[in-house]
C-alpha cells in the first residue's frame, strides 16, 4: 500500500488518482461540513463546482419533487440566496436530517470534482481522521490524500490532517510506503500533534478565517476523531455514507 498526497485542488490530475482511493480534505471548512451534515442525518450532499451550477441543480431537483437546501461559500462568505453557508456548527440534526444538500465552496468541492478519476473518493477532516484511516487500512489500496488548499495554494491545516491520516495508517502497518510529500505532511503533523494551533499561528488561511469571526468553526474543525462517519462519493456523484 502506498500513500501519496496532493497539495491543492489544482494539483489533482486524473493520472495521479486513477485506480486509487482518494481522501479529499478541506479542514477549514468544506469537508468538515460534509462530514457533520451526513453525520447529523442528511440524506446526501451533491457537490457543485460553481454557484450557478448549484442553483441549477436545486431547480432541477425541485422540479422533480426533490427539494434541496443550498449550502456553501465564496471566499469564506455565505452565497447570497443560499440557505446555509460553510459553517459546520450550523448543520445540526433537526435542520438537515433527511435532506439533500447542494453544496459548493471555493476549494473543497472543486477538489472533489478534480478527483473524479479515482476508484473511490472519501471525505476526510480532522474530525473523522481516525475513522478514515481505518477504512483505508481495511481496503489496503494505494491512496492519494488530496489537500484542497486555498485558491490553489498549500494550506497547513489540510497538510496536518493528511499527516495525521498517514501517521495513523503507518503506526498500524509499518510496511505502508509514503511518498516524499506524504512523509513530509506526516512529519509536520508529528511536530505539532500536541498543539495544532501552535503550528497554525502564523498561517495565512487560519489567521484570515479567525479575523472574520469564525472562531467557533475553527474550534470545531480542529477537534480530532469526534466522528466515525466516513462519507464517500457514489456512482451518481452524490456524497453519502
Amino acid at each position: 500500500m502506498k500513500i501519496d498526497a496532493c497539495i491543492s485542488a489544482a494539483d489533482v490530475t486524473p493520472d495521479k488518482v486513477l485506480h486509487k482511493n482518494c481522501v479529499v480534505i478541506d479542514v477549514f471548512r468544506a469537508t468538515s461540513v460534509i462530514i457533520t451534515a451526513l453525520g447529523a442525518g442528511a440524506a446526501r450532499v451533491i457537490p457543485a463546482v460553481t454557484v450557478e451550477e448549484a442553483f441549477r441543480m436545486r431547480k432541477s431537483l425541485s422540479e422533480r419533487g426533490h427539494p434541496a437546501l443550498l449550502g456553501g461559500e465564496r471566499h469564506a462568505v455565505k452565497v447570497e440566496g443560499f440557505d446555509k453557508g460553510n459553517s459546520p456548527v450550523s448543520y445540526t440534526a433537526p435542520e438537515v436530517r433527511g435532506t439533500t444538500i447542494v453544496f459548493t465552496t471555493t476549494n473543497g468541492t472543486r477538489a472533489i470534482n478534480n478527483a473524479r478519476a479515482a476508484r473511490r473518493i472519501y471525505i476526510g477532516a480532522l474530525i473523522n481522521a481516525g475513522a478514515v484511516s481505518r477504512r483505508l487500512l481495511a481496503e489496503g489500496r494505494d491512496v492519494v490524500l488530496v489537500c484542497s488548499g486555498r485558491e490553489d495554494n498549500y494550506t497547513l491545516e489540510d497538510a496536518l490532517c493528511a499527516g495525521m491520516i498517514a501517521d495513523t495508517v503507518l503506526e498500524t502497518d509499518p510496511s505502508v510506503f509514503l511518498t516524499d510529500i506524504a512523509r513530509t505532511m506526516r512529519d509536520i503533523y508529528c511536530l505539532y500533534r500536541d498543539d495544532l494551533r501552535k503550528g497554525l499561528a502564523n498561517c495565512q488561511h487560519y489567521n484570515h478565517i479567525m479575523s472574520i469571526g469564525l472562531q467557533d468553526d475553527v474550534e470545531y474543525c480542529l477537534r480530532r476523531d469526534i466522528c466515525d462517519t466516513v462519507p464517500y462519493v457514489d456512482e451518481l456523484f452524490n456524497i453519502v455514507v
Side-chain angles (χ1 to χ4, degrees):
M1 179 179 176
K2 180 173 80 171
I3 298 180
D4 195 6
C6 294
I7 64 170
S8 73
D11 191 35
V12 187
T13 58
D15 61 296
K16 286 187 177 181
V17 301
L18 190 65
H19 305 311
K20 299 171 185 174
N21 285 340
C22 280
V23 182
V24 175
I25 299 163
D26 188 355
V27 171
F28 295 151
R29 297 164 284 158
T31 57
S32 297
V33 166
I34 293 168
I35 296 159
T36 301
L38 290 168
R44 58 179 173 164
V45 175
I46 305 176
V49 175
T50 67
V51 170
E52 294 76 17
E53 182 187 5
F55 279 117
R56 286 196 303 270
M57 283 182 175
R58 182 174 69 170
K59 183 174 184 292
S60 175
L61 287 165
S62 179
E63 289 172 347
R64 289 180 281 142
H66 303 290
L69 295 176
L70 277 181
E73 53 75 37
R74 280 300 178 268
H75 309 293
V77 178
K78 178 184 171 184
V79 178
E80 185 176 354
F82 275 30
D83 302 292
K84 288 189 171 293
N86 195 32
S87 171
V89 298
S90 73
Y91 285 76
T92 55
E95 293 185 68
V96 305
R97 186 179 293 118
T99 63
T100 291
I101 301 168
V102 178
F103 189 63
T104 183
T105 67
T106 309
N107 306 292
T109 54
R110 189 160 55 90
I112 294 168
N113 185 70
N114 289 355
R116 293 181 81 112
R119 173 188 173 272
R120 173 59 59 87
I121 303 171
Y122 292 110
I123 305 301
L126 289 168
I127 60 173
N128 75 338
V132 169
S133 301
R134 292 189 292 275
R135 182 70 59 86
L136 299 177
L137 282 161
E139 294 207 8
R141 292 178 175 269
D142 288 350
V143 175
V144 181
L145 303 173
V146 174
C147 298
S148 298
R150 182 191 183 202
E151 297 175 353
D152 296 338
N153 293 307
Y154 169 94
T155 59
L156 187 64
E157 71 275 1
D158 290 347
L160 287 169
C161 181
M164 179 180 174
I165 293 169
D167 182 61
T168 303
V169 170
L170 194 64
E171 283 190 350
T172 303
D173 184 356
S175 72
V176 171
F177 176 80
L178 304 184
T179 64
D180 286 0
I181 186 62
R183 186 167 297 278
T184 299
M185 291 179 179
R186 184 211 178 205
D187 289 346
I188 292 170
Y189 172 72
C190 290
L191 179 64
Y192 293 115
R193 74 162 79 226
D194 295 330
D195 188 354
L196 298 184
R197 285 181 182 268
K198 181 178 180 181
L200 293 167
N202 295 313
C203 291
Q204 185 178 8
H205 192 206
Y206 169 81
N207 283 297
H208 171 67
I209 61 176
M210 290 291 284
S211 73
I212 59 175
L214 299 176
Q215 291 88 345
D216 288 347
D217 283 355
V218 170
E219 186 70 31
Y220 177 84
C221 292
L222 290 180
R223 297 171 69 186
R224 283 171 273 185
D225 289 340
I226 62 170
C227 179
D228 287 331
T229 303
V230 182
Y232 66 93
V233 179
D234 70 12
E235 63 278 1
L236 299 176
F237 219 68
N238 298 320
I239 306 173
V240 296
V241 291

